[in-house]
């Protein structure tokens, strides 16, 4: 018999319905995930050319040589402070802490003036987010970019398709520390084990693992498959459609 049914003959069906209603269905028990939280750079949006554009403009302002765009793939991913230090190290600059802060401030001014410059979503991402929302998923974005820039990009590019977006905030450590992503899951009312955390780097895979979430590596981003596997990817997706199939699997 069905759970919640009482042992009365059919004539008592109306009483069964009134006094022994079936239990309320548990949301989305047919799938393992109730929320998807995404990295931004290299995962939802191709921001590499944009980051290189503002980075090289800032280097030029300080009389330093440019860095090839592709080389930025290995410089990004751990927040703007570390990006600045990696950029300066790459060009052989020896800056004091005060000079590094001045360099960072110049970079921030440029980036904040036009955060959407040269940024575009990866193929299929807008459609993916739309399907996730249609199917009742909570959708979040957590980036190590400055918070105001991350939120501006997500709001402009994806609007209501994303429920919550944050970049780096003073009250949270940068990824792979799980504090910020765990707070986002708590805001969604979703247990960490029912969150698919998607990103394109080892930092992202470690973030998901540290939070007790399922880490999914995307293969269209800034880093290689080997890095994702070495840092604990539970799933790998080569396309947005494959990511949808992972998220919506029965």
């Amino acid at each position: 018999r069905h759970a919640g049914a009482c042992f009365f003959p059919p004539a008592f069906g109306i009483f069964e319905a009134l006094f022994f209603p079936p239990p309320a269905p548990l949301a989305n028990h047919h799938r393992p995930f109730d929320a998807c939280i995404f990295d931004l750079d290299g995962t939802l949006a191709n921001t590499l050319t944009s980051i290189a554009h503002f980075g090289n403009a800032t280097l030029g302002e300080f009389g330093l040589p440019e860095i090839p765009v592709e080389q930025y793939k290995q410089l990004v991913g751990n927040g703007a402070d570390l990006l600045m230090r990696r950029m300066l190290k790459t060009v052989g600059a020896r800056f004091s802490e005060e000079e590094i802060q001045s360099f960072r401030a110049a970079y921030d001014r440029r980036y904040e003036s036009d955060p959407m410059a040269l940024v575009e979503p990866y193929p299929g991402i807008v459609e993916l987010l739309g399907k996730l929302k249609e199917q009742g998923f909570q959708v979040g974005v957590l980036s190590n970019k400055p918070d105001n820039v991350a939120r501006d990009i997500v709001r402009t590019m994806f609007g209501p398709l994303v429920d919550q977006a944050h970049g780096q905030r003073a009250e949270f450590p940068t990824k792979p520390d799980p504090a910020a992503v765990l707070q986002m899951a708590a805001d969604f009312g979703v247990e960490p084990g029912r969150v698919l955390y998607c990103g394109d780097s080892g930092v992202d895979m470690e973030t998901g693992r540290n939070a007790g979430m399922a880490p999914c590596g995307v293969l269209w981003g800034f880093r290689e498959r080997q890095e994702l596997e070495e840092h604990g990817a539970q799933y790998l997706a080569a396309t947005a459609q494959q990511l949808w199939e992972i998220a919506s699997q029965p």
Side-chain angles (χ1 to χ4, degrees):
R1 292 178 62 84
H2 297 295
C6 80
F7 294 95
F8 288 130
F12 289 87
I14 186 170
F15 297 102
E16 180 180 358
L18 287 172
F19 296 106
F20 297 89
L26 296 175
N28 304 322
H29 252 209
H30 63 285
R31 68 188 186 214
F33 305 115
D34 295 323
C36 291
I37 300 178
F38 297 88
D39 173 49
L40 179 57
D41 296 333
T43 301
L44 295 181
N46 187 349
T47 57
L48 188 68
T49 303
S50 179
I51 293 169
H53 167 73
F54 291 114
N56 285 337
T58 306
L59 288 168
E61 180 180 334
F62 283 77
L64 299 169
E66 293 188 353
I67 298 171
V69 173
E70 285 295 304
Q71 198 166 344
Y72 276 89
K73 287 183 176 181
Q74 301 303 317
L75 305 181
V76 301
N78 294 90
D81 281 336
L82 195 50
L83 172 61
M84 300 299 103
R85 296 173 189 277
R86 288 171 175 169
M87 288 167 56
L88 293 169
K89 181 178 179 181
T90 298
V91 299
R94 296 180 178 274
F95 276 24
S96 67
E97 283 300 313
E98 184 178 352
E99 289 170 327
I100 291 172
Q101 294 309 311
S102 296
F103 186 81
R104 165 71 191 271
Y107 174 84
D108 285 347
R109 282 195 301 273
R110 290 177 181 276
Y111 209 159
E112 291 168 5
S113 69
D114 191 9
M116 287 301 299
L118 306 172
V119 176
E120 58 184 6
Y122 284 106
I125 289 298
V126 172
E127 294 79 5
L128 167 66
L129 297 180
K131 286 193 287 187
L132 289 170
K133 292 305 300 172
E134 286 173 6
Q135 293 302 313
F137 284 84
Q138 295 287 325
V139 177
V141 176
L142 184 66
S143 172
N144 273 343
K145 302 175 86 67
D147 186 53
N148 59 334
V149 174
R151 288 187 289 109
D152 281 349
I153 292 173
V154 171
R155 181 173 56 248
T156 302
M157 191 168 287
F158 305 121
L161 297 179
V162 172
D163 298 299
Q164 185 179 138
H166 282 295
Q168 176 55 33
R169 292 167 285 170
E171 62 267 34
F172 291 103
T174 56
K175 300 182 293 184
D177 187 287
V181 76
L182 286 171
Q183 181 61 57
M184 187 173 287
D187 291 345
F188 289 159
V190 177
E191 291 294 322
R194 294 188 64 81
V195 177
L196 185 68
Y197 185 81
C198 308
D200 70 310
S201 72
V203 168
D204 293 312
M205 299 305 96
E206 291 178 13
T207 302
R209 289 175 58 201
N210 292 343
M213 300 173 179
C216 177
V218 304
L219 300 176
W220 56 77
F222 299 164
R223 301 295 176 84
E224 300 298 322
R225 180 190 191 111
Q226 181 178 350
E227 177 177 325
L228 298 171
E229 291 176 335
E230 288 176 349
H231 289 266
Q234 185 174 337
Y235 302 97
L236 290 170
T239 64
Q241 175 60 29
Q242 285 185 6
L243 205 162
W244 163 247
E245 291 166 2
I246 292 166
S248 62
Q249 63 183 301

